[in-house]
Amino acid sequence: MDDVDKKILNMIQTGFPVESHPYQTIGAAVGVTEEEAFNRVKAMVDSGVIRRLGASFDSRGLGWTSTLCAMKIPAGRIEEAAAVVGEYHGVTHNYERAHEFNLWFTLIAPDEDSVATILGEIESRCGMGPVYNMPMLQKFKIKVDFKFKEAGGE
Amino acid sequence: MKKEITPQDADIMAQLQGTIPMTLTPFADIAASLGLTEEEVIARVRDYGEKKYYRRFGATLRHQKAGFRANGMGIWSVPDQASRKEIGEKLASFTEVSHAYERPSFEGWPYHLFTMIHGQTEQEVRDIARRMSQTVGISEYDVLFSIREFKKTSMQYFDHWPGREKS
């Protein structure tokens, strides 16, 4: 990856041009032709340096609701509970933590009613006690972008 | 779910939730696949950004979080509700913290504030948490690490958009 690639990445991480000929704009910004800009981006998509090129949708922006949930699962039954939880497509992250509240998952759903329905289903299907619903009450910070360093690589 | 988002909007956004067509004119190609004009698709996609349906439009890199190998969930007990905002903001001001929220507490779960803390190692994350605890004067806290991950995916909103056929 050379400096032109890095300049392109820094530009298109946050601002891929939403216009008819985006690669013309990208090329002009970094000093190469439209075709070269396109070939470089395509090569980085093909090689996997760029994992995805598209929109990062926001659950709140779309009017959906998201929450963090925890359960206290008896030792030895956590895989069983995790398998039930993981079946729901709105469960995007499901993991075990070292605590009495040991099974954690994030849930995204179109509205509060759907959240209640899904959590009720998980409780009755698992039969291992309540799901503790911990929606955000107050937000102090969310930082998701990590700047790609042009000098010195990653 | 926002009522003003039509099934056609969902069809357009479904084309943006993975990787857009790798062609010189991706929006023209999306438009052609949906029977719309390129101008209309571009105008709508810009509008979705202005309405904050998406946070950003661009490349997600494979290694963008490289360098931070350990992350722990810091949990903080702050029984005094009135001081949670000030303490939460102080905890959030640490550069090693990416997310900081207040969440409800329960019987057996006396924690109110959650912070995601990033470091090179678990020990470093614990050390950062100790400094945070000294700064805010909260001694009842813990740092939980993920032991096993069962599932991690990006939400595919438009595969499951109510009223829209799965494509």
Side-chain angles (χ1 to χ4, degrees), chain A residues 13 52 61 63 110 137 141, chain B residues 1-2 17 56 60 92 102:
Chain A
Q13 266 194 91
R52 202 171 75 75
L137 302 177
K141 186 187 215 174
Chain B
M1 185 185 117
K2 287 195 172 141
Q17 71 182 344
R56 64 188 182 90
T60 300
E102 179 186 357

Side-chain angles (χ1 to χ4, degrees), chain A residues 29-62:
Chain A
V30 303
V32 300
T33 63
E34 175 184 22
E35 195 171 34
E36 184 176 347
F38 172 73
N39 288 335
R40 283 172 177 270
V41 172
K42 185 170 188 311
M44 289 190 281
V45 169
D46 290 343
S47 72
V49 168
I50 295 175
R51 190 156 55 81
R52 202 171 75 75
L53 181 59
S56 297
F57 289 98
D58 179 48
S59 57
R60 288 164 65 88
L62 292 167

